[in-house]
Amino acid sequence: MAEPENLRSSEGLTRLVAFTDAVVAIALTLLVLPLVDITNDLHDDHETSVAELVGDHSLEITSFVVSFVVIWILWRQHHRTMEYFASYDSVLMNLNFVWLFTIVVLPFTTAMVDDSRVEWANSLYIGTLAVSVACLVGISQWG
């Protein structure tokens, strides 16, 4: 018995979820790169304590922690939602890829929020989160 053309296999769903998990892991990793740059900018002629380093870069560190937690929460909800799917179709795949786009963009929008010279950075960050949540709602409703 042939499956409908728009319905895909459970193996394909497993691959889609694995790919999604990998993209989220990379996005989480990208969040930390600006923090690594902070330590690269330390000057050899001045000894700096961890407390001074954290104090001098508290905005960047806070942004990292907030965005890490946000991505973790979004991924956790995505994971819980995908548990109910046995297969997928083009609608689910498209919603998933738009959701992934928002996850990949979050490190960029986080970096912009850190820079007070960028106008509308907070709005872009919040807008990205809104699209991400809307995709999760869409995935849930589609399922």
Side-chain angles (χ1 to χ4, degrees), residues 39-130:
T39 60
N40 292 336
D41 292 341
L42 294 176
H43 301 291
D44 293 331
D45 59 340
H46 181 266
E47 203 169 301
T48 303
S49 71
V50 172
E52 288 174 320
L53 186 68
V54 169
D56 291 345
H57 299 282
S58 60
L59 179 62
E60 294 96 329
I61 293 168
T62 301
S63 293
F64 162 76
V65 170
V66 167
S67 289
F68 188 95
V69 170
V70 164
I71 291 175
W72 170 53
I73 290 168
L74 290 169
W75 174 84
R76 187 180 63 197
Q77 187 58 45
H78 181 274
H79 175 72
R80 287 177 179 164
T81 302
M82 295 303 286
E83 288 287 320
Y84 295 100
F85 287 86
S87 64
Y88 70 102
D89 60 11
S90 61
V91 173
L92 178 61
M93 181 174 266
N94 291 334
L95 283 169
N96 191 73
F97 273 87
V98 173
W99 181 79
L100 277 176
F101 178 78
T102 66
I103 297 301
V104 170
V105 168
L106 273 173
F108 173 67
T109 59
T110 299
M112 288 195 316
V113 168
D114 288 344
D115 191 337
S116 60
R117 298 170 296 172
V118 180
E119 291 185 38
W120 299 96
N122 290 341
S123 298
L124 181 60
Y125 186 86
I126 291 167
T128 302
L129 290 178

